[in-house]
Amino acid sequence: MPVPQQRDPDLTRERLTAWLSARLPGATDLRTRVEVPEGLGFSNETLLVDAVWEENGTARARRLVVRVAPTRYQVLPGSRLAEEYRVLSALRDTDVPVPGVLGFEPDPGPLGAAFLAMDRVSGWVPPDLPSYHRPGGPLAALAGPERAAVWWAGVEVLHRVHRLDVTELGLDGLRDSPHGPGGLTRQLDHYETHLDHFGGGTPVTADALRLLRDGLPPEPAAPSLLWGDARLGNLLLDGVAPAAVLDWEMVFLGPGEADLAWYLYFDRHLSEGVGVPRLPGLPGRAETVHRYEELSGRSVAHHLDWFEVFAGFRFALIAARVGRLLVEHGLVADAADVPLARNAERLLARTLTALS
């Protein structure tokens, strides 16, 4: 269920045109068209911008996505657009495909909140809503080998991200991020500290947190850059090849298993969690773990159950926050009416039961 966005299109266009003028030196006769979608998910507000201008007698054009920090529907405890800007900028010259970035604006003056402007990349995305496992969707329309290719593309992206040198990228500062601190212990501390933001937690999330505290795996000597929200729904595709890795608002530094487990767990949510069979042709958990181990050159299976509980714990809190927001803003009468939160909690409970 997307949340509504309320914004004056003309005023938004006027202010964005002025902002772009300062960042496109040499541009004359700059004109913009701004599309304000009615609803695009639960996180940052998204604006679609087409800019055309003249530069030294040559016609120029640029298609942009502008992500505005949330002011009403804030799912996570704080905006991370500034960090996303640094990550996207750092990844520009790597083999991880990301949108080019035009700039980050911390001043809330122009649009009412900080915002990030990036290039709009063409492609398609396996949807979360309705689940990409359901018949009739773009992933279901592919033949079995093509579906597998899409899945493996996501696993390859994980490997590409995780093998990068954080220090060489200039991203060591993420270790001390106030909204996504590095390391597993500090991640658990972060979510526990912000339990009230997510609705206070439930007996199920409390059980998960105890298990996570009691069974904490060893931290890697050299933590990897983690995508954070690593799922097919954040992978823009050109055919079956990755075109852009999107949505870095859960980025942190830690072991690659955290991303791999989130990738597996979110797929499980979109199948078992919503009562839909997985699409034939998509590789399963064992195959996926084996492929990731081949790519990374190390074993990850030993603690993967822990990391899947870690994924389920965070996802259940985020889903509960979404339900709470929908109630607070009058979009539903009760959080119990939000399938996302209900399904996330039930899946976490089943995951814990299987480990007991």
Side-chain angles (χ1 to χ4, degrees):
M1 180 187 297
V3 296
Q5 300 186 129
Q6 298 176 351
R7 179 176 289 281
D8 183 323
D10 293 331
L11 181 60
T12 301
R13 185 181 66 251
E14 176 185 324
R15 292 183 173 179
L16 272 176
T17 302
W19 186 85
L20 288 169
S21 295
R23 282 150 186 82
L24 295 171
T28 59
D29 192 25
L30 175 63
R31 289 159 289 152
T32 61
R33 185 177 69 86
V34 178
E35 181 182 348
V36 184
E38 291 185 2
L40 279 175
F42 300 100
S43 191
N44 300 288
E45 180 184 2
T46 300
L47 307 175
L48 305 179
V49 181
D50 293 306
V52 294
W53 68 94
E54 295 284 331
E55 187 173 335
N56 298 324
T58 302
R60 304 285 188 189
R62 194 162 179 177
R63 300 169 70 241
L64 300 167
V65 173
V66 174
R67 299 182 69 201
V68 186
T71 56
R72 297 178 64 223
Y73 300 95
Q74 186 163 310
V75 175
L76 297 176
S79 172
R80 303 191 68 190
L81 283 181
E83 289 174 316
E84 288 189 71
Y85 173 67
R86 288 197 291 273
V87 170
L88 292 174
S89 299
L91 294 178
R92 179 182 55 195
D93 296 323
T94 71
D95 63 355
V96 178
V98 293
V101 286
L102 179 60
F104 170 71
E105 179 54 67
D107 182 1
L111 296 182
F115 63 91
L116 169 63
M118 69 186 81
D119 289 319
R120 198 184 330 163
V121 181
S122 297
W124 68 280
V125 174
D128 297 334
L129 189 66
S131 164
Y132 56 69
H133 289 292
R134 293 190 184 276
L139 190 60
L142 300 179
E146 293 175 309
R147 294 174 187 170
V150 168
W151 181 262
W152 293 133
V155 177
E156 172 68 26
V157 161
L158 297 184
H159 170 59
R160 291 185 191 180
V161 172
H162 299 163
R163 71 183 179 187
L164 295 170
D165 188 303
V166 173
T167 300
E168 287 184 4
L169 291 173
L171 295 175
D172 281 313
L174 289 175
R175 299 176 194 273
D176 298 315
S177 166
H179 300 303
L184 300 176
T185 298
R186 294 174 74 191
Q187 278 281 304
L188 294 180
D189 292 344
H190 172 73
Y191 281 94
E192 186 170 17
T193 298
H194 290 95
L195 277 178
D196 285 346
H197 172 84
F198 293 108
T202 66
V204 174
T205 56
D207 287 345
L209 183 58
R210 278 193 293 271
L211 181 149
L212 293 169
R213 293 285 193 192
D214 292 343
L216 199 71
E219 301 275 5
S224 298
L225 177 67
L226 302 183
W227 182 2
D229 196 0
R231 54 190 171 93
L232 284 185
N234 282 331
L235 187 61
L236 192 65
L237 295 152
D238 178 7
V240 297
V245 182
L246 307 175
D247 200 342
W248 294 81
E249 67 180 343
M250 291 177 65
V251 63
F252 72 100
L253 303 184
E257 290 93 324
D259 267 354
L260 176 62
W262 185 274
Y263 188 78
L264 291 166
Y265 194 90
F266 209 91
D267 177 79
R268 185 179 166 205
H269 159 69
L270 292 176
S271 51
E272 176 191 337
V274 298
V276 178
R278 289 189 87 234
L279 280 175
L282 287 179
R285 182 183 187 273
E287 292 175 88
T288 303
V289 172
H290 180 69
R291 175 68 67 90
Y292 182 85
E293 290 180 332
E294 283 187 329
L295 291 169
S296 64
R298 63 186 185 88
S299 175
V300 299
H302 184 63
H303 294 291
L304 198 57
D305 286 345
W306 186 96
F307 283 99
E308 287 176 302
V309 174
F310 180 44
F313 167 71
R314 291 176 293 154
F315 180 56
L317 292 180
I318 291 168
R321 173 64 176 170
V322 170
R324 183 178 178 183
L325 286 171
L326 293 175
V327 173
E328 287 177 359
H329 293 282
L331 299 174
V332 296
D334 190 278
D337 298 328
V338 182
L340 177 70
R342 184 172 63 246
N343 292 338
E345 173 126 349
R346 288 174 178 173
L347 185 59
L348 178 58
R350 289 198 296 273
T351 302
L352 293 173
T353 298
L355 295 177
S356 61

